[in-house]
Amino acid sequence: MTPQLKQAGMRLTLEPDRTLASTEQQTFPFSSHTATLVSMAGDGIRKIIHIDMDAFYASVEQRDDPSLRGRPLAVGHGARRGVVAAASYEARTFGVRSAMPSTTALAKCPELIFVPPRFEVYKAVSRQIHAIFADYTDLIEPLSLDEAYLDVTENRRGLATATDTALEIRARILDTTDLTASAGISYNKFLAKLASDQRKPNGQFVVPPGKGEAFVQSLPIGRFHGVGQVTEAKMKRLGVHTGEDLHRQSLTFLQHHFGKSGAWYYAIARGEDHRAVNPDRVRKSSGSETTFDQDHISPEPIEAGVLAMADDVWAWCEKTGARARTVTVKIKWADFQQATRSRSLPLPVADRQTLRQESLDLIRSVYPPRLGIRLVGVTLSNFDQEIVLRDEQLGLGFDAAYVNQRPAQVAHPA
């Protein structure tokens, strides 16, 4: 049953001791009856909501163990070779972040508590959340266990505005799971995702029609979804530090420096994104990787790790029926620098032994290692047919290369 919402200043009271924060003051209308904004009914403007759970893994752990509430918490393993999978907001105040080595995290926060991940619990909670989404739209594009795009242009629930829709979804998530979510509401996916970060945790933000370009120009370039650390560093070397800086660059300039991505950067600097919310995302790769207990130089343990990862990937191929032509081996050196070696075959890999042999050939191409190797991974890509990534196939919400990471060395969420 949908909880009753009562406006209380800038907060929405659900129960005496449980509140759902809202800092949004503008509405995003379903029809022209809302005076100040453009009609959503017949002019082609979409209503996109990006829902993002707040510190999802860590929040689940704090929910289930009251003794962890209010304390700096990391989901992962505190061993010397461990990696932080997720950090609570209390831990983030110390600078602890996902994908950070456990030793670094403990140096930043000596009181940091590590708890092992419980992926089956996270998956179960995610299913509860996605069941709520399905009451509002069939157009749900899950990005991971804890975030998704929803196209709610069709007003299935008869709510006055998209803002109200996001508020009701978040209220139902809190009522059902005892967990908070943040939301971004806008007319395209890029803006909605940016907006969901504006009022985290436990808030929401609207970028209405006509305001996207100005909103984007006010942000640092590192906030842009799709601009990673390497691209951010390159942009800053070129004098591009903000959305406004990016907006000043010509399409020719961006294509010269960033190739095919130049057109994308040109568009998003203007708040433009025409991608549809796609319930049937196509998987581009599947991989598995493991972190060794110690750095290795000798071939035997390195190759044993590669073969184990190849076997993991082939098990997934057998389960899904997927076949692919490109084999990639990933290496992380002792200094945390990464390298990859790839080979594309004329025909898809047809059996486990072929994948094993190709993976061994690729890892042997780096011998003798320039440094000790701390991590190896195997990935298959370039599938012979589209592999649709549906909600139940999201794995652990990790980056494709991390989907089947060995549980003892947890990788970071995407």
Side-chain angles (χ1 to χ4, degrees):
M1 180 176 177
T2 303
Q4 296 296 312
L5 305 182
K6 292 184 179 180
Q7 190 79 33
M10 298 307 292
R11 304 182 71 80
L12 294 179
T13 301
L14 294 174
E15 295 178 7
D17 60 341
R18 300 168 66 209
T19 58
L20 180 69
S22 172
T23 54
E24 187 47 55
Q25 300 182 40
Q26 291 180 300
T27 58
F28 199 175
F30 282 94
S31 72
S32 57
H33 296 299
T34 303
T36 57
L37 292 176
V38 181
S39 165
M40 298 298 300
D43 54 15
I45 298 176
R46 298 177 295 160
K47 297 192 316 301
I48 309 298
I49 300 174
H50 179 256
I51 298 286
D52 192 6
M53 299 299 295
D54 298 323
F56 181 52
Y57 297 168
S59 295
V60 170
E61 299 302 333
Q62 290 178 318
R63 179 197 69 176
D64 293 350
D65 184 350
S67 70
L68 298 175
R69 295 173 190 172
R71 304 175 70 183
L73 174 73
V75 176
H77 296 271
R80 184 173 63 90
R81 310 290 287 191
V83 178
V84 174
S88 69
Y89 284 103
E90 295 86 355
R92 294 181 191 188
T93 63
F94 292 89
V96 178
R97 296 290 184 269
S98 62
M100 180 177 286
S102 299
T103 51
T104 304
L106 285 166
K108 289 178 176 291
C109 180
E111 297 180 358
L112 186 65
I113 302 168
F114 278 87
V115 297
R118 299 182 297 152
F119 296 125
E120 291 306 316
V121 175
Y122 310 147
K123 289 180 183 179
V125 176
S126 182
R127 285 191 290 269
Q128 291 179 293
I129 295 165
H130 283 263
I132 293 170
F133 295 162
D135 286 341
Y136 297 83
T137 180
D138 293 327
L139 298 176
I140 305 164
E141 182 178 331
L143 303 180
S144 63
L145 289 181
D146 64 339
E147 63 173 317
Y149 292 113
L150 285 68
D151 186 329
V152 295
T153 307
E154 178 187 351
N155 188 5
R156 178 181 290 183
R157 301 279 289 193
L159 297 170
T161 68
T163 299
D164 290 340
T165 302
L167 285 171
E168 184 171 294
I169 290 171
R170 292 173 52 229
R172 289 185 61 191
I173 290 172
L174 179 60
D175 188 62
T176 302
T177 69
D178 281 324
L179 300 169
T180 63
S182 297
I185 306 103
S186 195
Y187 52 92
N188 67 45
K189 288 163 64 172
F190 177 72
L191 293 173
K193 186 167 177 66
L194 284 177
S196 67
D197 280 336
Q198 285 293 106
R199 295 292 183 263
K200 265 189 167 291
N202 193 23
Q204 65 183 58
F205 188 83
V206 176
V207 182
K211 302 295 185 181
E213 189 168 357
F215 172 67
V216 166
Q217 290 187 31
S218 68
L219 299 177
I221 202 70
R223 280 278 311 276
F224 284 24
H225 179 57
V227 175
Q229 292 182 349
V230 174
T231 301
E232 180 185 4
K234 182 176 180 178
M235 286 188 172
K236 287 181 176 179
R237 289 196 299 270
L238 295 169
V240 177
H241 297 267
T242 65
E244 184 177 9
D245 295 333
L246 186 62
H247 187 274
R248 285 198 293 264
Q249 310 309 317
S250 68
L251 177 60
T252 301
F253 174 89
L254 293 172
Q255 288 177 325
H256 173 73
H257 288 285
F258 300 100
K260 293 180 180 179
S261 298
W264 167 250
Y265 298 141
Y266 185 85
I268 61 175
R270 289 153 179 79
E272 298 174 3
D273 177 10
H274 301 292
R275 296 173 301 157
V277 172
N278 182 9
D280 296 327
R281 295 172 62 211
V282 175
R283 182 188 283 273
K284 296 182 179 180
S285 65
S286 182
S288 185
E289 62 183 41
T290 188
T291 302
F292 296 124
D293 290 335
Q294 62 185 50
D295 299 338
H296 290 298
I297 294 178
S298 60
E300 291 80 4
I302 296 171
E303 293 182 6
V306 168
L307 290 175
M309 297 304 96
D311 289 347
D312 279 357
V313 174
W314 187 252
W316 177 84
C317 290
E318 290 283 85
K319 179 180 178 180
T320 61
R323 298 293 183 268
R325 294 195 301 109
T326 301
V327 182
T328 300
V329 167
K330 174 183 174 181
I331 303 147
K332 184 178 287 186
W333 304 102
D335 61 1
F336 289 89
Q337 295 298 306
Q338 297 185 22
T340 58
R341 297 291 185 271
S342 297
R343 179 176 297 159
S344 292
L345 307 177
L347 296 172
V349 175
D351 53 61
R352 172 173 169 266
Q353 188 54 42
T354 301
L355 178 58
R356 284 178 137 234
Q357 189 58 55
E358 293 295 336
S359 301
L360 286 177
D361 290 346
L362 290 168
I363 193 65
R364 287 167 180 169
S365 71
V366 305
Y367 291 167
R370 65 177 184 84
L371 287 173
I373 293 177
R374 65 176 284 117
L375 174 150
V376 293
V378 174
T379 298
L380 272 175
S381 58
N382 198 1
F383 294 108
D384 62 342
Q385 59 184 3
E386 287 190 349
I387 306 299
V388 174
L389 182 61
R390 299 188 186 277
D391 193 5
E392 67 272 13
Q393 296 174 306
L394 279 170
L396 306 177
F398 293 158
D399 188 293
Y402 292 83
V403 167
N404 296 315
Q405 171 92 14
R406 296 289 192 181
Q409 292 84 28
V410 181
H412 63 278

